């Protein structure tokens, strides 16, 4: 399958998602700068969502750059991931209406969980495609990614799920802090060669 077309389609979907997310920011009726304060919870959830998608896109680009051959399994795994990703603007908008509301944060957590499962399946399919294409170094590069190692560890994932559930029960807004920390300390830990792929 043509890798370029899959990447172009994915990029278009992600661009639309980012656009939809900012459209949820409501223009205040008042001319006073204090009117923006009502939008602070949404701005926080938007910033985390934007960072989330930006980091995911970078990692996605890295994995696809390492991969020469797109199998049917990769194509459908990528579609599953893209199916999960558009729920982020919905979850972001909902959390923005009540940053510390249990129902909103529970929905965000479920979306995050679905997205994570989809992303890990895509990563595994890309590893398998590279192994089938006799490119063990490319498969090894994807497996060495911090996000791949984190998602592949049942201990880390179980710990994250337990921490998120406890946060949602006792202090729902803490769930967004956990997501932010995972993006920074796991998702944004890129492989050293990630900015040298096309040199």
């Amino acid at each position: 399958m043509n890798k370029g077309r899959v990447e172009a389609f994915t990029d278009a979907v992600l661009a639309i998602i980012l656009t939809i997310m900012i459209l949820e920011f409501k223009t205040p009726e008042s001319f006073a700068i204090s009117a923006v304060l009502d939008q602070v919870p949404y701005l926080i959830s938007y910033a985390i969502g934007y960072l989330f998608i930006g980091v995911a896109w970078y990692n996605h680009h890295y994995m696809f750059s390492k991969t020469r051959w797109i199998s049917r399994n990769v194509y459908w795994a990528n579609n599953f991931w893209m199916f999960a990703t558009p729920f982020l603007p919905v979850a972001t908008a909902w959390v923005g209406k009540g940053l510390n509301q249990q129902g909103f944060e529970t929905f965000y957590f479920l979306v995050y969980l679905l997205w994570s499962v989809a992303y890990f399946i895509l990563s595994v399919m890309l590893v398998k495609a590279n192994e089938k294409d006799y490119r063990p170094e490319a498969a090894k590069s994807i497996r060495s990614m911090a996000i791949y190692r984190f998602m592949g560890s049942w201990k880390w994932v179980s710990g994250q799920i337990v921490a998120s559930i406890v946060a949602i029960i006792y202090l729902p807004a803490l769930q967004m802090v956990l997501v932010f920390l995972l993006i920074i300390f796991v998702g944004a830990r890129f492989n050293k060669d990630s900015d040298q792929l096309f040199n």
Side-chain angles (χ1 to χ4, degrees):
M1 179 169 288
N2 187 307
K3 183 175 77 167
R5 293 198 67 192
V6 176
E7 288 177 304
F9 180 52
T10 303
D11 290 349
V13 170
L14 294 182
I16 291 167
I17 290 168
L18 290 174
T19 304
I20 290 170
M21 284 172 63
I22 195 58
L23 291 177
E24 287 295 325
F25 181 76
K26 304 301 179 196
T27 306
E29 297 293 326
S30 169
F31 292 107
I33 191 70
S34 59
V36 176
L37 294 177
D38 292 337
Q39 296 290 322
V40 167
Y42 182 76
L43 286 173
I44 292 169
S45 62
Y46 169 75
I48 292 171
Y50 193 97
L51 181 65
F52 191 138
I53 292 174
V55 167
W57 180 86
Y58 193 93
N59 283 314
H60 184 277
H61 176 65
Y62 177 80
M63 291 188 297
F64 268 67
S65 295
K66 289 282 183 176
T67 305
R68 185 172 55 188
W69 176 66
I70 302 299
S71 66
R72 277 194 307 267
N73 289 339
V74 169
Y75 171 75
W76 286 111
N78 195 65
N79 276 336
F80 177 43
W81 176 66
M82 285 194 298
F83 168 80
T85 304
F87 285 103
L88 282 173
V90 178
T92 300
W94 209 15
V95 165
K97 291 179 181 176
L99 204 55
N100 203 33
Q101 297 299 315
Q102 201 172 62
F104 298 170
E105 292 290 352
T106 300
F107 181 70
Y108 194 95
F109 170 69
L110 293 173
V111 168
Y112 178 78
L113 200 59
L114 175 68
W115 183 93
S116 298
V117 169
Y119 198 79
F120 186 64
I121 290 170
L122 173 60
S123 303
V124 169
M125 291 301 112
L126 284 164
V127 166
K128 289 184 177 179
N130 278 295
E131 287 172 343
K132 193 171 182 179
D133 196 28
Y134 304 104
R135 293 169 57 85
E137 286 303 315
K140 183 179 176 183
S141 292
I142 295 170
R143 279 197 304 268
S144 70
M145 295 171 65
I147 192 168
Y148 184 94
R149 288 183 283 119
F150 179 85
M151 290 181 168
S153 168
W154 68 269
K155 290 179 182 177
W156 280 107
V157 171
S158 300
Q160 178 199 353
I161 291 171
V162 169
S164 293
I165 291 171
V166 170
I168 290 168
I169 292 170
Y170 294 105
L171 186 60
L174 191 57
Q175 150 68 15
M176 294 299 286
V177 174
L178 291 174
V179 170
F180 175 74
L181 292 175
L182 282 168
I183 293 167
I184 297 299
F185 293 108
V186 178
R189 285 178 57 207
F190 307 123
N191 285 14
K192 289 180 180 178
D193 67 336
S194 65
D195 60 349
Q196 301 164 353
L197 293 174
F198 299 103
N199 285 347

